[in-house]
């Protein structure tokens, strides 16, 4: 959780500096060009058994979360905030939502489909992703700078961060937001509008 708080603080500070969103992660340089980290390649299935990959996310803004369906703590709040983002961006074809399951043993594709239907997720907008658990955990840690791992002492058997991650059309992380906060969701929506104006 400290990891997420530090990112929130860094982003809040950077956002005050100018009306452009910061890039998360450590940049490198090649000559005069600054190279920012991007989401690693992946291919998973969504609740409709359709492939979603890093390639299919290019030229799309996306908001990502890491959840599990039997989560007894923050996941329902995170899904409620994601649904708000879905409703506010429904007419924006270039904005997608991804909820990665960190518990594929229990969160089967039919289970994800039932959950998506239950909460009113729209399949063309909000993808609940099913994939290899190790790959999901690696993406969380290395690509999204999120926390997600099995923990027998944690409620539901997993420790995970409650952040919603904002990713631009070139797969750069541009923001992290508390997925249990209405105010943070409002900030996320404002930042989506900023990203949409970027060239």
């Amino acid at each position: 959780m400290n990891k997420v708080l530090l990112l929130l603080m860094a982003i809040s500070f950077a956002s005050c500096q100018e009306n452009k969103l910061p890039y998360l992660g450590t940049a490198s340089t090649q000559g005069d060009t600054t190279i920012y980290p991007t989401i690693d390649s992946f291919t998973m299935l969504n609740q409709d058994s359709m492939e979603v990959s890093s390639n299919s996310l290019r030229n799309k803004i996306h908001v990502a979360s890491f959840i599990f369906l039997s989560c007894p703590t923050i996941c329902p709040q995170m899904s409620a905030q994601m649904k708000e983002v879905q409703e506010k961006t429904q007419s924006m074809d270039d904005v997608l939502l991804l909820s990665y399951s960190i518990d594929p043993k229990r969160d089967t594709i039919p289970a994800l489909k039932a959950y998506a239907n239950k909460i009113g997720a729209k399949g063309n907008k909000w993808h609940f992703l099913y994939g290899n658990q190790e790959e999901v955990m690696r993406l969380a840690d290395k690509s999204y700078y999120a926390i997600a791992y099995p923990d027998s002492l944690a409620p539901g058997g997993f420790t995970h961060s409650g952040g919603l991650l904002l990713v631009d059309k070139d797969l750069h992380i541009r923001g992290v937001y508390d997925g249990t906060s209405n105010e943070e969701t409002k900030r996320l929506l404002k930042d989506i509008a900023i990203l949409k104006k970027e060239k």
Side-chain angles (χ1 to χ4, degrees):
M1 193 59 73
N2 288 338
K3 197 175 187 180
V4 173
L5 290 175
L6 286 172
L7 287 172
L8 284 170
M9 289 170 59
I11 288 168
S12 295
F13 176 78
S15 295
C16 292
Q17 303 304 306
E18 55 182 320
N19 194 27
K20 182 176 179 180
L21 301 183
Y23 292 82
L24 274 65
T26 303
S28 60
T29 56
Q30 291 183 0
D32 295 330
T33 304
T34 302
I35 308 296
Y36 296 102
T38 58
I39 302 301
D40 287 342
S41 296
F42 74 89
T43 301
M44 296 185 189
L45 297 177
N46 72 4
Q47 68 268 31
D48 295 313
S49 296
M50 302 293 291
E51 280 194 357
V52 176
S53 72
S54 48
N55 285 336
S56 65
L57 296 175
R58 289 201 173 271
N59 300 314
K60 303 278 188 182
I61 294 167
H62 77 268
V63 179
S65 65
F66 291 85
I67 65 167
F68 62 108
L69 300 187
S70 58
C71 173
T73 55
I74 61 174
C75 295
Q77 298 171 62
M78 293 170 67
S79 291
Q81 298 303 325
M82 287 283 274
K83 186 174 181 184
E84 179 68 11
V85 176
Q86 173 185 256
E87 298 308 314
K88 292 294 193 293
T89 63
Q90 187 56 47
S91 64
M92 302 176 190
D93 293 337
D94 59 344
V95 178
L96 297 176
L97 282 66
L98 308 181
S99 288
Y100 293 87
S101 170
I102 62 175
D103 185 14
K105 288 184 180 178
R106 288 182 288 185
D107 296 352
T108 60
I109 290 175
L112 292 172
K113 177 68 172 178
Y115 182 75
N117 288 340
K118 177 182 176 182
I119 66 173
K122 296 177 173 63
N124 64 331
K125 170 66 70 173
W126 188 355
H127 302 277
F128 289 82
L129 297 183
Y130 173 89
N132 175 273
Q133 187 179 59
E134 288 185 6
E135 182 181 10
V136 174
M137 302 292 183
R138 179 183 56 77
L139 276 172
D141 182 42
K142 302 299 183 184
S143 287
Y144 288 98
Y145 312 117
I147 297 168
Y149 58 87
D151 182 353
S152 61
L153 299 179
F158 291 90
T159 290
H160 69 108
S161 51
L164 305 184
L165 294 306
L166 177 60
V167 185
D168 69 20
K169 294 182 178 184
D170 296 314
L171 302 182
H172 304 297
I173 302 278
R174 303 297 293 276
V176 58
Y177 312 81
D178 182 348
T180 66
S181 166
N182 292 332
E183 290 305 310
E184 283 286 283
T185 298
K186 290 176 183 176
R187 185 168 71 88
L188 167 58
L189 289 166
K190 288 178 181 177
D191 286 352
I192 288 173
I194 292 172
L195 275 192
K196 284 177 66 66
K197 293 176 182 177
E198 283 191 355
K199 298 294 183 181

